[in-house]
Amino acid sequence: MFTDEVVIKIKAGDGGAGSASMRREKYIPKGGPDGGDGGDGGNIIFFCDNNTHTLSDYASRKFFAAEKGENGRNKRQHGKNGADLTLKVPPGTIIWRISQYGGQEQMADLTKAGDEIIIARGGKGGLGNVHFATSTHQAPRETTPGDPGDAKQLRLELKLLADVGLVGLPNCGKSTILSRISNAKPKIADYPFTTLEPNLGVVRNSEIAFVVADIPGLIEGASEGRGLGDKFLRHIERSGVIVHILDINSQTLEKDYQDIRHELEAWNKKLIQEDEITVLNKIDTMTAADAKKIATKFSKKIGKDCLLISAVSGKGLDELVNIISQKLKTLE
Ligand SMILES: Nc1nc2c(ncn2[C@@H]2O[C@H](COP(=O)(O)OP(=O)(O)OP(=O)(O)O)[C@@H](O)[C@H]2O)c(=O)[nH]1
Ligand SMILES: [Mg+2]
C-alpha cells in the first residue's frame, strides 16, 4: 500500500534511576555508598532509506518507543543504556511536530539517502549515591531519578522527489508517456483512474538523467474530493517542471485545460507555472493536418505553444525529453 501521510507518537527511553546501595561485606561494617548511576534512555532516530518507498510501515502501528536505561546497581555498577530506536523513512519525508495545541512545526526534511536525525532524545540516567558522599556525610541515601525521555506527536509527510511532474485528466496518456520515456512500467488501460498511486521513472539520455512522476488523473472538483482527490499533487510540489497532457481527441480541450489548472491552483499556487509544458497526446488517431489545425486553434485560445506527440507511435517524445532537459538545465 502507498501511504504518504501518517500521524504517530514516539517516546524516547527514560533514564534509569541511580542506586542507593550501601556496601555490605563481611567484616566491613559501615561499608559506605556503592550505588551506581542509571543508564541513559535510547533516542528515537529517523533514517532516510533508499529501499523504503512509502510510509506504510506507520499506517497501522502508531506508537514507537525506545528502550529505557536500566537502573544503577550495587558495587557502583552503571545501568545499561537503552538502545536507540531507528525508524526508516523514504527520501522526501518531512517530519512535523504536532504541539499539544495542534500547531505544527517542521523538524526535518529528509531528502538524501543515508541522512539521519535524532528526533527525540533519551533521558539521562540518574546519579547513584556514591556521588553524594562527603567527609561529613559518609552514608548518603541520596540519588537522582533518571530524566524522562522526550515524547512527541509527529506527522510524517512524504513528498516524492521528482524533477518533473505529469498532470492531466484521467486517460489522457500520462502513464503511457512515462512508460515510453523512462524505465518505469506503470499500469496502462483504457479507462479512467487506472493509476491509483504515483509512479516514478528515471529518464536517462547521454546528457542528463531526471526523475519523472506520473500521478493519478485529476478531474474538475478534485480539490473537493471528486475522483481520487487532489492529495497526490503534494508529490509534484518539488518538481521544477510540470508537463500538462491533454488528449487531442477531446471535444472540450480548453475546458480540460482550465479544469486542471484550477485544480493545480487550488492545491498550491506554486503549481501554476508560467512556462509549464503543454502537450497534446494521441496524434496518431488523426491526420497530421487535422492535428495541426486543432493545435493551432488551441494554442491561440490559451496563448501558449503546445507540443504534439503520440505516446503510442513515439512521435514527438524525443522532443519532449529535450524540452524537459533544457528547462531542467535552466533551473540548476
Ligand atoms: N491512440 C493512442 N492511445 C493512447 C496514446 N497514449 C495513451 N493511449 C491510450 O490511452 C489509454 C489511457 O492511457 P494511460 O496511459 O493509462 O492514461 P493515464 O493518463 O495514465 O490515465 P489514468 O491513470 O487513469 O489517469 C490507454 O488505452 C492507452 O493505450 C496515444 O498516443 N495514442
Ligand atoms: Mg495512469
Side-chain angles (χ1 to χ4, degrees), residues 163-164 203-211 239-242 273 275 277 318-332:
D163 304 299
V164 181
V203 178
R204 233 179 258 284
N205 65 24
S206 51
E207 280 181 45
I208 199 168
F210 54 85
V211 177
S239 305
V241 173
I242 304 272
Q273 295 181 347
D275 59 347
I277 302 172
D318 285 345
E319 198 182 345
L320 175 60
V321 169
N322 282 335
I323 294 175
I324 293 171
S325 305
Q326 293 309 321
K327 282 232 151 76
L328 287 173
K329 273 187 203 151
T330 65
L331 295 176
E332 271 165 14

Side-chain angles (χ1 to χ4, degrees), residues 8 10 43-55 57-58 84-95 108-120 154 156 158:
I8 60 169
I10 55 169
N43 300 316
I44 304 251
I45 296 171
F46 279 81
F47 177 78
C48 183
D49 177 35
N50 238 349
N51 298 316
T52 304
H53 302 290
T54 94
L55 295 171
D57 284 356
Y58 310 97
D84 292 341
L85 177 66
T86 298
L87 300 175
K88 287 182 185 167
V89 292
T93 301
I94 301 171
I95 302 174
D109 184 0
L110 296 172
T111 56
K112 244 182 50 238
D115 282 356
E116 60 177 25
I117 182 170
I118 296 177
I119 290 290
L154 304 177
L156 309 183
L158 174 61

Side-chain angles (χ1 to χ4, degrees), residues 170-176 189-190 193-195 217 281-282 284 311-312:
N171 231 23
C172 67
K174 299 176 295 297
S175 301
T176 312
D190 190 16
F193 303 120
T194 306
T195 300
N281 186 31
K282 309 196 185 183
D284 57 288
V312 164

